Structure formats: structure tokens, C-alpha cells
Amino acid sequence: MLQSLARHWLPLLITLASAATAFANADSPTASAQTGFWPNLGPATLAWFAAVVILALTLRLRRIFALRNLDALVLVAMSLLFVVRADTSTMLGGHTAQWWAYLGLSLAMAYWVIRGLILLRAQTAPRYEGIVSLSAITALLLAGLAVSVQRIATAPTSGDSADAIVGGLYFRETGHLPYGQVPAADAHSPLLYLAHAGALAVLPPTFAADDGNTLEMSWDNRSAWIDSDWADGDVAAARVVNAVLFVAVLLGLYVIGRRLKSAAVGPVIMAIFCVFPGTLECLPRPEIMLSAALLTWTIVFALLGGLGGLLATFCLVFAGLAWPWTWLALPVLLAYFVRRRWQLLGSLVGLAGGVVLIGWGLLTLVQPAMPRATAALAIADQPPAYTARLADPKTVIIDQSDAELHTTWGAWSTLGWRWLLNQDVAAVDGFGDVRIDRPNGTNVLFREIAATSAARNAIQPAYCAAVAELSGTKRGLIALRTLLEATWLPAEPAVAAAKLPGTWELWGGRPMQPRWVLARRMVKIAVALLTLLSALALLMSRRIYPRHLVSALLIVGSGAVLASTDGAVTNLAWLLPLVLTLWAVYEVPESKVDQTEAAMFVDPDANTDDGPAPRITYEE
């Protein structure tokens, strides 16, 4: 009776609950002020709508204490905690609601780690048993798609998209990535700039000039628009990239359901992905969605035969290039392919191909930039020996420096950056048309100079020319240092999309208190150990199934989100495909594997009618 009630009446109850929630939030301060075609969808409305959709699609009343029911409740709790992330009112224990929301989301990440460990140790994975009819699932999926499309179409241009457009225009003009050349917009993945450069070639952006005319953005006229309000311009290319990445993730989720013999669950996890608040927050942020799409298709390729190993590892390498934490999944993926013979070879070829392609990109697309005193030199604890200033447009003066820098980074980071800097042996010889005034008889290296902005611009061409004379290995390492310095130590810190402090910043303060620095380091060590243990568990398993890969990736991914700078309060569109794959995994007990595999070779359409049964007669 309960199942019949859920199947026939639950969709109507969802509609009524959503309408009531929307009406209750219509006049609230958090409701959207936009009018016209799109409805008013405030954060609270979307969170409660997501909670109802998740429960409707995943809650199983016949097995109320099942693990998947607990999974659904954790997703619901995460949806509702998103609403109070910014609430700074004081609550229990003297902590704010924001503090408790951060704690709850962090505990949810710990739960997904434990959930992955449970699935890794399990012997089977039960089939998803939905109680909602296919027509109701389709209706909820369409509603979720409408909400996501509304978010992509109406969200203001995010900082990621704005920087990507600037970098894309720079790449189209110069053929180089903007690292070290555009300090305000060079802190993102190379893939982000390349993707937007392609979109800009089809849909050039425009801006409203001071005289009221609409002009096309270009690198030459950047002074007229780079600091203006982009709301008056047309940046359709950014929305197209966001839409393409969103569709890529959805298609990947659908294919995962098909490959895991759970075709019915494909639309279910697609609908949940569309309505989850963590997804809606990231839809205008292409850097996270790019890594999420590549990670999703890594799982898709890993479930394929033939060239699946090659494609999966190649895709994962570039997913890590989009968001470096993704590279933690590489040991797990390689361990998964160890038992798959030729796929292991393909996986190694994919890894080598990805590394070679990245190396080629470093040598050809990244223009070397002088290290900054407040970035690479500071973290390497190497204070600049010289300063440079521009006396006039044709004269650069280099003086001795008495600056002292003391790094607050860990010893490993200091040693790594110091080694990278020591590979840069480009020496000052001349600045072309610019006259140089330096201490007599002194061999000055470019990396020892702390230059003013004007002097840096004058020195930069000569630095590039000096680096071009070095060996390919050193040029590659200098380009790597340039990329890491721009993305890891940006000149201008990025502003979070939700304008919220990161988890570790909220708990440890800024600068972070020593005990919280230690706590985060311990979490990082724990995540590294979990990665190695997950890979080792795959290597030691007697038989490898898709659930091993899904569970190990969930362990590593949840730990990575918890240990990242922002913590568990954002970037969750990256993790959600791994969580949703839990509902798609289905495996029978090992005792039934042989029967199941044998049944796969039976032709269901074969004619097995051998005629009437024989007649048996006897005589008295």
C-alpha cells in the first residue's frame, strides 16, 4: 500500500510542497528579485525542493534502515545546510549558524569516506529499487533541467568566467597563455583559457562603450572594458561553455548508469545532480565544472573495454590539470587496471601521452615570467639580491637589495620551490633598446631581481630571450615554475563565488593558527594514506569489479574535498558524480557470477521449440 501511495501520489505531493515553499519565500530577502519568464527561486526554495526530490527518488520504504536510505538523508542534510552557510547569528555553544553548517558539511565528507570504505569491503552491491514511476522521474528530471538552465542563463558572470575571457582573448592575440603577463586574471587552469578561446572565436564578446555604442572586445582595446561593469556587455561565450560542461556531466551520468547495468537509475541521478544546491552554485564556475566533467568521463571510460584504460587515464590527467586535487585518483585508477592486462598497458600509454602533451604545452604555450618577490622568492626563502626600477623609458637601474624574507610555509614546499628557482640560470646581458645600469663587475641573474611594475615590463622581453637560449629541460622547468606561481601563488587572491570563508579559514583564522595548520597537515597526511590504502586494496582484491573503482574514488574524492583550502562548503559539483554513482553500482554475489555470466551468452530470441513432447505408450 505504501509503495502504491508513493508511486501515484508522491509526485503530486512534491509539486504541492514545492509550490508552498516558493510561496513562503516569495517575499523573503533571499528570494530572487528578477521578474519575467523565470520564477523567483531563492536559496531556501531550491534547497527544500532538492531535499524533496532526493527523498522521492531514492528513499526505499520497504528497507528503511538500508545504507542507501542513509545516503539519501546525508544528501538532504547537505542541501539544507547550504541555506545557513552564510548565517552568522549566534547559536548553540556560542558558535554561529555558519560554524555549525561548516561542521555538518565536513562531517558529511567524513561520512562519504566511511561509505566508500564500507562499499570497498562489501561482497555485493544491491540493485537500485526505485518506487517512483518512470513518468514521475521524467517530470522531476525536466524540472531539474529547467532549474539548472535558469541558473546558467541568469547568473551573473563569475570571476572564473571573467578571467577566462580575458585569458582567452590574450591567447587568441598572442598564442600564449596569460601566466605572468596578466596578473589579475592568470590564476586558473590552462584548459579553462583554451576552452574559452575556442568559444570566443565563435561568439566574440561585446561591451558598451562610454559613448553608448556596442564594441567587440579585443586585447587591443582592453583598457576600455577590463575594469568596467561586464553586466552591460554580451559574454554569451561564457554561458555556452557553462552549458556544454553541464551537459557533458549529465551525459556522463547517464552512460555510467547504462554501463553499470542500472539504466533505470540514470535519469534519477541526473535529476538529483540538477537540483542539488552544490551543483547550482558551481554551474557558473567553469573551472570546477570542467574538472567535474573530465572526472565523470574518466569513470565512463574506465568502465569500457578495449581502449578504456588509455582514455580513462588520459582524461584523468587533464582533470587534474583543471583541479589538481583530482590527481590523487591516479594511483587508484592504475591499480584498478593492473588486473585487466592490456588495459594496464593502455593506461600507462594514456598517462605518458598526457604528460608529454602537458610538457609540449609548457614549452610552446607558456611564456616564461620573472619570479615575484612576494610569491616564488618568498616561499623559497630566497630574498632578492637586487632591485630594479625604471629611471626613464629607456633606462633601467639595478641596485643592491637588503630585503629579508622569511617563509611561513612548510619545509617541503620551501625545498621544492628553491629547487625550481635554482634551475633558472638566465643572466642579465642586455635589454635590447633599454639601457641597463647595474653594479660593476656583477653577474646578475634575472631571478635575483625584485622589479617594480614598470621595470618588470621593460625587462620581461629580455628575460624571455635569455630563457630561449637555455636547454629544453630548463625551459620546461621555468615554464612550470611560471604556471605554478600564477595558479598556486596568485598576485591577486581569487574571490570565492559565494563570498564565504573557507572551512580552514573560518576555524583557524587568517593567518591560520599553528594548531590548525597542524590539524590540516594531519588531514592531508590521512588523505594520502587513504589513497595508498585504497590502491593497495584494489591490488590485493581477488577479483576486481566496478564497485571497487567507485568506492576507492569516493574515498579519495571526499578526503580531497575535506583537505582542500575551501573545505566541504563549496566545489561540491566535483564530488557529486562520485556520490551519485553509489546508486548505479549493482553486483550479484560471487556465487552467482558464473550463472550470470553464462546467462549472458543465451540468446533470448533463439527458437528452442523442438516440437511436441514425445508420447510414451505401453502394453498391458
Side-chain angles (χ1 to χ4, degrees), residues 370-371 373 377 384-389 401 446-452:
M370 294 175 56
L377 295 178
Y386 307 94
T387 60
R389 55 189 174 86
S401 173
F446 281 98
R447 62 178 170 85
E448 298 175 325
I449 301 173
T452 63

Side-chain angles (χ1 to χ4, degrees), residues 50 53-59 72 75 128-134 136-142 144 250 253-254 257 262-276 576 580-584:
V53 169
I54 293 170
L55 291 177
L57 294 178
T58 60
L59 195 64
L75 270 183
Y128 165 77
E129 297 178 1
I131 60 174
V132 180
S133 64
L134 180 59
I137 293 175
T138 304
L140 293 176
L141 175 58
L142 292 176
L250 286 187
L253 291 174
Y254 178 76
S262 302
V265 82
V268 172
I269 59 179
M270 290 168 65
I272 295 175
F273 184 83
C274 289
V275 301
F276 185 66
L576 191 59
L580 296 178
T581 307
L582 286 174
W583 278 275

Side-chain angles (χ1 to χ4, degrees), residues 294-505:
L294 291 171
L295 180 60
T296 303
W297 279 94
T298 296
I299 301 174
V300 172
F301 291 138
L303 299 177
L304 299 177
L307 297 176
L310 188 151
L311 295 174
T313 310
F314 187 81
C315 195
L316 183 63
V317 169
F318 285 92
L321 192 61
W323 200 44
W325 284 101
T326 313
W327 272 322
L328 282 176
L330 185 58
V332 169
L333 194 65
L334 293 176
Y336 176 73
F337 288 125
V338 164
R339 301 287 184 86
R340 296 180 177 267
R341 300 178 182 177
W342 290 106
Q343 284 204 352
L344 175 61
L345 178 61
S347 180
L348 295 176
V349 171
L351 175 60
V355 172
V356 169
L357 191 56
I358 291 175
W360 173 85
L362 286 173
L363 289 173
T364 59
L365 302 181
V366 177
Q367 188 175 2
M370 294 175 56
R372 289 180 280 116
T374 56
L377 295 178
I379 191 175
D381 201 13
Q382 289 187 349
Y386 307 94
T387 60
R389 55 189 174 86
L390 194 64
D392 57 63
K394 294 295 183 179
T395 305
V396 174
I397 299 177
I398 297 180
D399 298 315
Q400 294 282 350
S401 173
D402 55 358
E404 294 184 3
L405 296 176
H406 298 285
T407 180
T408 58
W409 293 73
W412 291 107
S413 299
T414 299
L415 291 176
W417 280 95
R418 186 175 298 169
W419 180 82
L420 275 177
L421 283 173
N422 290 337
Q423 307 309 305
D424 188 350
V425 293
V428 174
D429 188 16
F431 296 155
D433 296 336
V434 179
R435 188 172 64 87
I436 178 174
D437 184 3
R438 61 179 173 178
N440 294 329
T442 305
N443 183 26
V444 179
L445 300 180
F446 281 98
R447 62 178 170 85
E448 298 175 325
I449 301 173
T452 63
S453 179
R456 184 185 179 90
N457 293 335
I459 295 173
Q460 181 63 29
Y463 176 68
C464 292
V467 171
E469 300 296 328
L470 302 178
S471 65
T473 301
K474 289 191 178 298
R475 284 189 285 115
L477 291 174
I478 292 172
L480 177 62
R481 188 267 307 156
T482 300
L483 187 149
L484 292 177
E485 187 176 25
T487 56
W488 194 356
L489 308 168
E492 296 186 10
V495 179
K499 297 181 180 179
L500 296 172
T503 301
W504 297 102
E505 179 184 345

